[in-house]
Amino acid sequence: MAPVLRVLALAAVASLALAGPAHAAPRPAPLTEPAEALERALECGQGVEGAARTPVILLHGTGSTPEESFADGYAEALPKLGFPVCTVRFPERATVDLQRAMQYAVFAVRAVAARSGRRVSVIGHSQGALHAVYAPHFWPDLPALVDDVVGLAGPYRGTQRANENCMDGRCPVTSWQFRFGSALNGAFAAAPRPAGPSFTAVASAYDELVTPAPDAARLEGAANVVIQDLCPGRPVDHFAMVGDAAAYALALDALTHGGPADPARFDPATCQQTTIPGGDAAGTASGAPGALGGAALALTTGEEVDREPPLVCPFDAAACRAGGAGAGAGAGAAGGGGAAGVRLTRSCLRGGRLRMRVRGDVSGVRRVTFAFGRLVVARDGRAPFVRVAGRAALRRTRQTVLWAHVYPRRGGSRVTLRRTLPRCGL
């Protein structure tokens, strides 16, 4: 996306802000994720510029990608009906601090609204549904840019599955934030509901990740629809929701009518269909098990931290008043911290492997040594500073601490970072 697009997006936001009273348009929190990363994450098909119909932004869930979630369904079916479609690719398969990931949704709404010259609609699944809903609550310029928000299996109120994951005091950052009673969920509960967008929340009684189902996916102030209330006994689980014909019919109802989806308009004959009309049924069926497995793995074995990341602006009003850093900077400190602008992250991969990475400002870094306690397991002399330790290395060690020794290119002292060492399923 060219720099001029950022100018257009800012201009669109500014014109909308100027249209109302000055006191009604507080300054939005800045986006602290790298501009080039925000741009690369947004991909749009044809027809967005000067769109004849409302553009739709698709947001995927934890452990997934735009391709796994939407390529065979919404991204294929909606353009056939004249809806331009854009997708957002969240960092690291949406396993980072939600305060960071949400910025990608905010950027996408602004950019697509600027390109199309009209309001946009957002359809999100799982974590993507949460971002679709939370973003217009915390960035005051977004409600004027958004028409419909449709959430599929969104953990708006948290999920018991996350509370269970964090019972031992260590769990992935997303699990901390998905918990019932998390600080992030509390901030959302206290946020005023924005006027403008229509909200539709679609849930399944058989959701195995957003639990207890279907109540955990209920959104206050939205049109809440449970698939099994329309199609009794319909076997739709968490990931199958993205390819389900009934869920799609509800999303399409919202897109094609004023206001949210209305179950009274639902055609019972839709219950005889399985996958999205106009999509790729074979592709949806073959991709669902792997994508569901990826989501469950990311929720339970992703990068582990010892506490929920602290809230930053705009999720913490006090931080905004104090002019505190935005979510990008706060997430770095929450992730385990570091010095000299770098931090150590780690996440479990399939097969019991451990990915280790030094992030942040690595322009001045010459070399990184990763170690389990005093045992050196990998050396890396080139950015990005990332290495993977195999299952055998984890099985052999009894250490509980992961170290990263960071050596500068010139001057300064070696920086040593440490994190707890996850067992990755062993």
Side-chain angles (χ1 to χ4, degrees):
M1 191 177 302
V4 67
L5 180 55
R6 293 201 296 275
V7 176
L8 289 173
L10 291 173
V13 172
S15 64
L16 286 165
L18 290 174
H23 68 273
R27 177 182 298 180
L31 302 185
T32 55
E33 288 292 289
E36 60 273 16
L38 293 169
E39 293 173 1
R40 286 196 306 268
L42 177 63
E43 297 183 13
C44 293
Q46 297 180 348
V48 174
E49 285 76 8
R53 205 164 192 182
T54 304
V56 179
I57 300 172
L58 302 175
L59 305 179
H60 67 84
T62 310
S64 188
T65 66
E67 294 80 13
E68 291 175 351
S69 291
F70 300 115
D72 299 313
Y74 286 79
E76 186 167 327
L78 289 176
K80 294 177 181 178
L81 299 178
F83 292 100
V85 168
C86 298
T87 61
V88 174
R89 188 181 305 276
F90 293 119
E92 300 182 41
R93 299 178 72 94
T95 59
V96 301
D97 184 342
L98 302 185
Q99 298 176 96
R100 286 183 54 203
M102 203 173 303
Q103 296 184 43
Y104 291 79
V106 173
F107 175 85
V109 168
R110 291 172 176 167
V112 177
R115 289 177 62 175
S116 64
R118 59 188 303 159
R119 296 168 71 190
V120 304
S121 290
V122 187
I123 298 176
H125 172 247
S126 193
Q127 182 186 143
L130 182 146
H131 292 317
V133 169
Y134 277 33
H137 280 73
F138 289 102
W139 274 268
D141 61 299
L142 259 59
L145 304 178
V146 177
D147 186 7
D148 280 292
V149 173
V150 179
L152 308 174
Y156 314 112
R157 306 167 66 191
T159 166
Q160 185 62 35
R161 180 73 175 269
N163 290 74
E164 295 166 358
N165 292 344
C166 300
M167 285 181 64
D168 65 355
R170 289 172 50 195
C171 63
V173 60
T174 51
S175 284
W176 281 110
Q177 296 170 315
F178 286 144
R179 289 175 308 122
F180 288 117
S182 74
L184 187 62
N185 281 339
F188 173 67
R193 299 295 177 251
S198 299
F199 295 95
T200 300
V202 184
S204 171
Y206 301 132
D207 194 318
E208 70 279 40
L209 293 183
V210 179
T211 58
D215 291 342
R218 181 176 180 81
L219 176 62
E220 183 180 351
N224 288 280
V225 187
V226 178
I227 292 294
Q228 288 74 21
D229 288 345
L230 300 176
C231 302
R234 191 173 182 86
V236 179
D237 62 17
H238 185 77
F239 191 83
M241 183 80 79
V242 297
D244 182 66
Y248 175 73
L250 292 166
L252 194 60
D253 183 79
L255 295 179
T256 54
H257 295 86
D262 184 353
R265 294 191 290 258
F266 183 82
D267 184 355
T270 304
C271 297
Q272 304 305 313
Q273 303 169 4
T274 53
T275 56
I276 295 174
D280 181 353
T284 299
S286 63
L292 178 59
L297 188 69
L299 188 64
T300 57
T301 63
E303 176 188 342
E304 292 185 339
V305 293
D306 298 324
R307 62 185 62 86
E308 180 181 355
L311 296 184
V312 295
C313 185
F315 308 97
D316 182 352
C320 297
R321 290 192 295 269
V342 295
R343 66 187 189 275
L344 172 62
T345 68
R346 73 277 191 275
S347 57
C348 292
L349 305 177
R350 286 185 174 89
R353 298 174 298 148
L354 174 68
R355 180 173 59 187
M356 309 164 290
R357 184 167 184 174
V358 170
R359 296 179 173 279
D361 183 6
V362 298
S363 59
V365 174
R366 173 172 57 90
R367 176 168 57 90
V368 174
T369 298
F370 297 99
F372 296 167
R374 294 184 178 182
L375 175 65
V376 174
V377 292
R379 292 183 174 90
D380 196 340
R382 186 173 62 180
F385 296 99
V386 57
R387 282 292 183 266
V388 174
R391 185 182 183 90
L394 285 171
R395 189 185 297 277
R396 286 195 301 267
T397 186
R398 294 185 179 181
Q399 296 293 326
T400 59
V401 178
L402 169 66
W403 299 87
H405 304 292
V406 183
Y407 298 85
R409 291 187 181 279
R410 60 182 69 86
S413 303
R414 183 185 77 178
V415 175
T416 297
L417 311 174
R418 60 173 290 172
R419 300 293 301 276
T420 54
L421 179 62
R423 303 307 300 165
C424 295
L426 296 179

